[in-house]
Amino acid sequence: MRLHDKTVVITGAARGIGRACAMRAAEEGADVVLMDIAGDLPEIPYALGSADQLEQTARLCRKNGASVLVATADVRSRSAVTSAVTAAVDRFGRIDALINNAGVGAPSGKAAHDFTEEEWRVVLDVNLSGPWHLITAVAPVMIAQRSGSIVNVASTAGLVGYRHFAGYVASKHGLVGLTKAAALDYAPLNIRVNALCPGPVRDDPAVDGQMTAVVADALGISYEEQEAVYLESVATDSLVDPADVAGAAIWLAGDDSLKVTGTVIPVDAGFSAR
């Protein structure tokens, strides 16, 4: 029960890494605030969490004994994020940790100059401005408490380049930079800011009984083809599961990592070591 009496806000909580983080936080005794856009948007042609999936996450967390607040919000909207955080504070009185997980992929097979302005704007708005919006909403709460932990879920694309993924790579490099700068801003206030860089992550194998494959969708390949490509790129004989990322996120969210800030931790099955 490492998060007993703590409140954790998790974005992108409907599925995948976000759901795994929410379930692990609930198991560790936290009250959880589950945020997701929970629906399709025409300008984001990738698989997004649905309202049903977000409610399923909530049910799983309640089953583990957590008090749950569900907040539907688009992280691109500062006002929507602020309203959700205000509701969280009204409900629970404090926010001890933020797991900035919400993100989208980007069109594949395009050189940097081939991105449309809308494609570029969407991925930067969600993956970089979105976490910043959450930080701007949560930081005043944590400053008043004189404590808190912010965990930004970046990517190995925040550490290295990927051909034909300029928008995604730029957004995740930006998030790593935001992490380091914010860590220095808030260290004197007893607020920690760290980033996780998942590598090839196995998609959630069971969402409403169907396999999901966000990256495969973006690449225009099958899930099986995606997994084969991923396995060739890692040092271990298996891929990272959402639960692996959740374990690292919960460690950073809790008191076992009180002296850890400004760090960028790969959770990538050895991908970045090769």
Side-chain angles (χ1 to χ4, degrees):
M1 302 293 283
R2 290 182 295 174
L3 300 181
H4 180 62
D5 287 336
K6 294 185 183 293
T7 300
V8 180
V9 176
I10 302 146
T11 68
R15 45 164 293 165
I17 292 172
R19 174 180 288 182
C21 289
M23 292 174 60
R24 186 65 179 273
E27 291 169 358
E28 294 286 355
D31 297 321
V32 293
V33 181
L34 308 178
M35 292 180 60
D36 207 299
I37 200 166
D40 294 330
L41 293 176
E43 69 272 26
I44 304 179
Y46 316 109
L48 298 173
S50 68
D52 288 345
Q53 290 167 355
L54 184 59
E55 185 51 43
Q56 184 181 1
T57 301
R59 288 195 298 270
L60 291 168
C61 291
R62 293 186 183 107
K63 186 176 180 180
N64 286 326
S67 294
V68 179
L69 174 66
V70 174
T72 301
D74 186 338
V75 297
R76 296 176 297 172
S77 169
R78 186 169 181 174
S79 61
V81 165
T82 300
S83 294
V85 169
T86 299
V89 175
D90 289 344
R91 171 77 176 273
F92 297 115
R94 60 186 296 114
I95 294 175
D96 298 283
L98 163 66
I99 300 177
N100 254 329
N101 170 69
V104 294
S108 64
K110 290 188 174 186
H113 71 282
D114 289 325
F115 277 74
T116 68
E117 185 171 352
E118 182 175 50
E119 289 169 343
W120 185 267
R121 176 181 53 79
V122 167
V123 72
L124 268 293
D125 282 352
V126 175
N127 292 357
L128 182 54
S129 294
W132 174 68
H133 289 153
L134 266 298
I135 290 172
T136 62
V138 166
V141 180
M142 293 182 172
I143 290 170
Q145 297 168 179
R146 299 287 298 183
S147 67
S149 175
I150 297 169
V151 182
N152 294 322
V153 180
S155 166
T156 51
L159 303 174
V160 300
Y162 288 91
R163 186 182 183 189
H164 291 165
F165 271 97
Y168 188 75
V169 170
S171 70
K172 293 301 186 178
H173 270 72
L175 185 54
V176 167
L178 174 61
T179 297
K180 294 179 179 181
L184 297 177
D185 288 342
Y186 301 128
L189 302 169
N190 199 34
I191 299 166
R192 298 176 292 115
V193 189
N194 295 285
L196 295 176
C197 288
V201 176
R202 191 189 308 275
D203 283 311
D204 193 343
V207 177
D208 294 336
Q210 295 181 348
M211 183 69 73
T212 61
V214 176
V215 176
D217 289 344
L219 292 172
I221 61 177
S222 71
Y223 178 83
E224 291 74 19
E225 289 172 321
Q226 171 194 312
E227 184 157 316
V229 170
Y230 277 1
L231 281 170
E232 291 178 357
S233 69
V234 299
T236 65
D237 60 358
S238 62
L239 301 179
V240 176
D241 287 311
D244 298 320
V245 184
I250 296 309
W251 177 71
L252 288 172
D255 293 342
D256 288 342
S257 57
L258 285 177
K259 300 301 181 181
V260 180
T261 195
T263 62
V264 180
I265 303 174
V267 184
D268 64 358
F271 172 87
S272 58
R274 299 189 67 154

